[in-house]
Amino acid sequence: MYDLVVRSRRTVLPEGTRPAAVAVGGSSIAAIEDYGGSLDARRDVDLGDLALLPGLVDSHVHVNEPGRTEWEGFATATRAAAAGGVTTICDMPLNSLPPTTSVIALEEKRAAAAGKCWVDVAFWGGAVPGNSGSLLPLHQAGVVGFKCFLIDSGVPEFPPLDADGLRSVLGSLAGLDALLIVHAEDGSQVTPASGRDFCAFVASRPPVAERRAIEKVVAAAAATGARAHIVHLSAAECVAMIAGAKAAGIRLSAETCPHYLFFAAEQVPDGATEFKSCPPIRDAVNREALWRGLEAGVIDCVVSDHSPCPPELKASGTGDFGAAWGGIASLQLGLSAVWTVARRRGRTLDDMARWMAAAPAALAGLPAKGRIAVGCDADLTAFDPEVSFVVDPARLQHRHQVTPYAGRALTGRVRQTWLRGIQLLDANSGAPDGEPAGQLLNRGSRA
Ligand SMILES: [Zn+2]
């Protein structure tokens, strides 16, 4: 007798999409059978033509709690994740206070998160000047890897590494086989921006800033043999360099974000600071080239870089791109935003599951996540790939409703989410219902 069976004619399995029945025993996937197979279960859900995806894994989320919980917090971020079909998030080490640059800070963060998470949460550690002695203890405490900046991070308590610091950290992490994820912009190529002109803001952070920083990462990864990952790649001209580094055997990977794949700079109105991110959304030609890098497998995954703040810090009143916080809120909308464009390009749900579930789970070292496979956690998302809807900010579970997707027509809607076999969403409202059952994960953890 299984606890749950979920059937779908479009079940997205690692080997492809087919009609199947997913049987859940306890918190994990116990069997995958034929769609119409007779399976004895306490609960049997037939999704029919709705797709069944693995629960998404978003390896790039800024939760900001403790310390800046008024920007976003574990309760609100994980509610938004659940509503968006995301069953695991990896929390970034900065924008919370303290930043996660020591084991004590990690313990504070875990204490702040305990009991309020609607989905599972893993943690990145931070690599900053002066905390080299904390890398091994943080690794042993279960962080999924380390984040560093090569440019001002936007918050003073999380300073960037210089080229020597980058090489030194990668040298330390190589011995642990730990991953370093890098915010790759070169400050010497960036100029200050101000005013309401979006094009001027984009020009202040040109592609060459990303290129110069990624060159440093490639060189340091090559010299040390360490694993490095480029977060939120925006400048598509860097795709060729990343492809070349991979081909040369350098252990490099890269992600991009829904906003770089969905929006183009030409469409952003002046003063619309909800579109501000660093690096910036670039033009439509760049967007097309990013898609090709993703489709070619050079870019490994698509994750949100959800980084909200209160509306007043987004400079919504003045529309000044210099004053506004650089971060885009999209945790609940990433799947629909990417699918809206992907399906027009002839991509499939298999691609979506690889880019937004399997690849980020592998990146973060979470073997029980990101796949519908026997033995994995029963994290599942029911998704209607054909329905269209207009984004109503009032339906967002994020702490703040500011998002560039407001009023946009998107295709594909999350209908239900299960975390380790627990149904998360109220069928009518689409909002999380019941009690938060998310767990705090360590690297490599299995159910
Ligand atoms: Zn980020």
Side-chain angles (χ1 to χ4, degrees), residues 12 80 88-91 117 132 138 145 171 223 229 234 241 271 273 275 287 293 300 309 386 413 420 444:
V12 183
T88 303
I89 64 170
C90 303
D91 171 60
C117 296
S132 58
L138 278 166
H229 173 81
S234 168
M241 183 183 12
T273 51
F275 289 86
R287 178 180 60 186
D300 300 270
C309 67
E386 272 88 38
R413 188 153 212 168
R420 282 179 276 98

Side-chain angles (χ1 to χ4, degrees), residues 185-367:
E185 286 183 289
D186 183 328
S188 71
Q189 304 292 333
V190 168
T191 51
S194 64
R196 296 170 51 84
D197 182 351
F198 186 71
C199 291
F201 166 65
V202 176
S204 78
R205 304 185 88 106
V208 67
E210 291 185 64
R211 179 150 40 94
R212 292 285 173 258
I214 294 172
E215 285 167 359
K216 286 182 207 164
V217 178
V218 169
T224 58
R227 288 192 291 140
H229 173 81
I230 307 300
V231 295
H232 51 52
L233 180 73
S234 168
E237 66 176 50
C238 300
V239 168
M241 183 183 12
I242 293 167
K246 286 181 164 189
I250 296 167
R251 301 168 80 195
L252 187 70
S253 55
E255 71 190 34
T256 191
C257 306
H259 40 279
Y260 303 126
L261 296 170
F262 187 86
F263 296 112
E266 298 92 316
Q267 306 160 338
V268 177
D270 285 347
T273 51
E274 64 272 24
F275 289 86
K276 180 179 177 182
S277 62
C278 298
I281 293 165
R282 304 188 191 279
D283 64 22
V285 172
N286 182 83
R287 178 180 60 186
E288 174 62 27
L290 270 184
W291 268 105
R292 289 180 186 214
L294 179 65
E295 289 164 346
V298 179
I299 299 171
D300 300 270
C301 43
V302 182
V303 292
S304 71
D305 193 13
H306 178 73
S307 184
C309 67
E312 53 276 20
L313 292 176
K314 227 25 195 158
S316 303
T318 64
D320 183 343
F321 282 100
W325 173 254
I328 286 178
S330 67
L331 182 51
Q332 190 174 330
L333 299 168
L335 175 58
S336 301
V338 177
W339 176 241
T340 299
V341 187
R343 81 191 270 277
R344 282 206 301 265
R345 300 179 66 87
R347 307 313 303 186
T348 65
L349 293 172
D350 301 83
D351 296 318
M352 300 295 292
R354 192 173 68 254
W355 295 331
M356 302 188 78
L363 179 78
L366 298 170

